[in-house]
Amino acid sequence: NAGVTQTPKFRILKIGQSMTLQCTQDMNHNYMYWYRQDPGMGLKLIYYSVGAGITDKGEVPNGYNVSRSTTEDFPLRLELAAPSQTSVYFCASSYRTINQPQHFGDGTRLSIL
Amino acid sequence: DAKTTQPPSMDCAEGRAANLPCNHSTISGNEYVYWYRQIHSQGPQYIIHGLKNNETNEMASLIITEDRKSSTLILPHATLRDTAVYYCIVNKGAQKLVFGQGTRLTINP
C-alpha cells in the first residue's frame, strides 16, 4: 500500500520558471491538502480539497494553483517561481469522516535560485 | 481554532516515559486535541487525538485535564526512534490543521 506519493523528491528551479508538484493517494480519501514547511517552522496550509472538482484556499495560497480532477490526484502548480517559495512541500490526505487523521507524503524539497 | 503553547525542546532518557505538555487555554467545547510528530524531515505522522477523555493507543497516551486547558502526550517507553518534533494541534474536525513550532524531543541513550 503506497499511501501518499509525491514526486519529485527534489527540484531546483530558476526564478520565473514554472513547475507542477505531483501528489497521488491510493487510499480512496476524499480530502487532500498541500502544506509548505520553511526551515525551523511548522507546516502551513496552502490549498485543500474536499473532493474531486472542489478546491479551497488555505493560509498561504498566493503564488500557487491546484486542481482536483480525480479523487486520487491533487497537483500543485507554481507559475512564476520566486525565491520565497523555496521550501519543503507536503501533500496529505484523509477520509471525509470528521476527525480522521491526515496521512502525509515524504515531501518535495524545492529550491528557487 | 485555539492556539497551543509547547516547550521548544525536551530531553528524555531511553526507556523512560516521555511526557510532552501542551497548553491550549482558549480551546472551545467542540475542539479536539491532536498530536502529530515529524521525524527528521519526513512527513508528519499522526499519533493520537482526544476530546475530553484520556485516550491510549499502541503509540502513546493522551491525558487531557478536566478543564481541557492543557494536555500531556505520554510515550511510555521512549526509544531513540522517538526523537522527533512533536506538534500539539487543536482543531474542530482534523481538517485545515495549524502547525506551530512544536517540541523537539531528544531521546538520549
Side-chain angles (χ1 to χ4, degrees), chain A residues 31 33 37 40 42 99 102 109, chain B residues 32 34 36 38 41 94-95 100:
Chain A
Y31 289 7
Y33 317 81
Q37 184 174 32
N99 290 322
Q102 294 186 19
R109 283 150 184 78
Chain B
Y32 287 72
Y34 297 86
Y36 284 76
Q38 190 172 23
S41 297
Q95 283 75 45

Side-chain angles (χ1 to χ4, degrees), chain B residues 24-40:
Chain B
H24 31 79
S25 59
T26 59
I27 192 170
S28 60
N30 60 350
E31 289 183 311
Y32 287 72
V33 180
Y34 297 86
W35 284 85
Y36 284 76
R37 72 181 182 183
Q38 190 172 23
I39 296 174
H40 194 44

Side-chain angles (χ1 to χ4, degrees), chain A residues 31 33 35 37 40-43 45 48 90 94-102 104-106 109, chain B residues 32 34 36 38 41-46 49 87 91-101 104:
Chain A
Y31 289 7
Y33 317 81
Y35 295 87
Q37 184 174 32
M41 306 297 288
L43 282 71
L45 183 65
Y48 67 101
F90 291 102
S94 66
Y95 284 111
R96 174 191 296 145
T97 309
I98 196 167
N99 290 322
Q100 292 301 307
Q102 294 186 19
F104 286 80
D106 290 333
R109 283 150 184 78
Chain B
Y32 287 72
Y34 297 86
Y36 284 76
Q38 190 172 23
S41 297
Q42 299 174 18
Q45 176 189 26
Y46 166 80
H49 75 275
Y87 296 99
N91 189 280
K92 290 187 179 65
Q95 283 75 45
K96 298 170 67 174
L97 298 177
V98 177
F99 287 79
Q101 294 192 254
R104 183 172 297 278

